[in-house]
Amino acid sequence: MGEVCTRHVAVAVHAFDPISYVGITGLFRDRPEIRLVTDNDVPDAEVIVVVAAGVDSEVLAQLRNLARRTTARLLLVVDELRESDLLSVVECGLAGVIPRSEATAQRLASSVLAAAQGRGQLPDDLLGALLRQVNRLQREVLTPRGLTVSGLDPREVDVLRLLAEGFGTADIAEKLAYSERTVKNIVHNVLNRLGLRNRPHAVAWAVREGLI
């Protein structure tokens, strides 16, 4: 029988105190699926595990900095996460949050592998809190301004959906009871605001974001 090829995920650990760093890296060292990399090799990391006691301005700045510097997926291991901070950390592009009390070697390894595969992980209570915050944001901030969480208004979503179905400007105008000029203006505004190149690019973006 041939040897089984094991996937090794390159992982970097960022901790705000040396004891946490030693503790988390120690949990990874005996995991054959994990390959630890040093700070100097962060650009090579597929997943970066950030360890913190809580979430404050320093932690948020570190998360944003890592998100800008690398393409790695970010996991946050945290002692305490206030519901009011949840949306802020999600906006930093986190792939998952792990309570420190649940950060066993097995849990960390499975979360790293899930993140490397593009999957996110959030404890049920935090997921519920996040959904409440998104609903509140939609209800109190976006809806009064005619927007959705995606940053698009309902008219823009309707136009993109019809573009994805292959309809041209005249057909879209007829279906939505708009003038052709209005349809063109809607598409133009979406392209400019989101930095998209053309209509196919806009459709691809909307599909990728799960809007259509």
Side-chain angles (χ1 to χ4, degrees):
M1 294 178 62
E3 293 184 2
V4 176
C5 181
T6 303
R7 166 124 160 77
H8 299 282
V9 178
V11 176
V13 176
H14 281 256
F16 287 83
D17 66 89
I19 294 176
S20 294
Y21 179 84
V22 171
I24 295 298
T25 55
L27 292 174
F28 282 132
R29 291 195 189 282
D30 293 330
R31 304 297 305 193
E33 65 271 56
I34 304 298
R35 178 172 65 85
L36 286 171
V37 300
T38 65
D39 284 347
N40 293 332
D41 296 319
V42 162
D44 297 327
E46 297 173 69
V47 177
I48 298 176
V49 179
V50 178
V51 189
V55 174
D56 55 19
S57 58
E58 183 181 6
V59 173
L60 289 174
Q62 175 75 300
L63 290 171
R64 293 186 184 111
N65 181 48
L66 290 170
R68 284 194 302 268
R69 287 172 50 206
T70 77
T71 58
R73 304 276 287 173
L74 302 179
L75 289 175
L76 176 64
V77 177
V78 65
D79 289 339
E80 180 183 4
L81 180 60
R82 297 186 300 262
E83 184 171 330
S84 58
D85 294 323
L86 185 56
L87 201 54
S88 296
V89 298
V90 169
E91 288 171 345
C92 294
L94 286 185
V97 176
I98 306 169
R100 179 84 71 105
S101 60
E102 300 176 14
T104 63
Q106 178 60 43
R107 174 68 183 278
L108 285 169
S110 63
S111 296
V112 163
L113 293 176
Q117 294 165 4
R119 294 184 281 120
Q121 290 196 340
L122 203 61
D124 289 343
D125 59 332
L126 292 182
L127 179 58
L130 177 61
L131 291 175
R132 287 194 297 274
Q133 289 202 26
V134 171
N135 288 336
R136 189 181 307 119
L137 177 66
Q138 180 68 59
R139 183 176 63 253
E140 298 177 3
V141 178
L142 299 177
T143 297
R145 292 167 173 78
L147 298 173
T148 63
V149 174
S150 67
L152 302 178
D153 66 36
R155 295 196 316 168
E156 292 169 336
V157 174
D158 288 340
V159 169
L160 286 175
R161 185 175 293 113
L162 290 172
L163 282 175
E165 293 175 6
F167 292 104
T169 299
D171 293 327
I172 294 173
E174 181 179 352
K175 285 181 174 295
L176 298 179
Y178 298 155
S179 69
E180 291 187 31
R181 182 180 181 84
T182 296
V183 173
K184 290 178 181 178
N185 285 340
I186 289 172
V187 174
H188 177 76
N189 290 338
V190 169
L191 295 179
N192 282 350
R193 191 168 72 249
L194 300 177
L196 303 171
R197 295 186 299 275
N198 47 40
R199 292 185 176 200
H201 191 192
V203 169
W205 176 85
V207 170
R208 187 171 63 249
E209 295 296 316
L211 301 176
I212 58 178

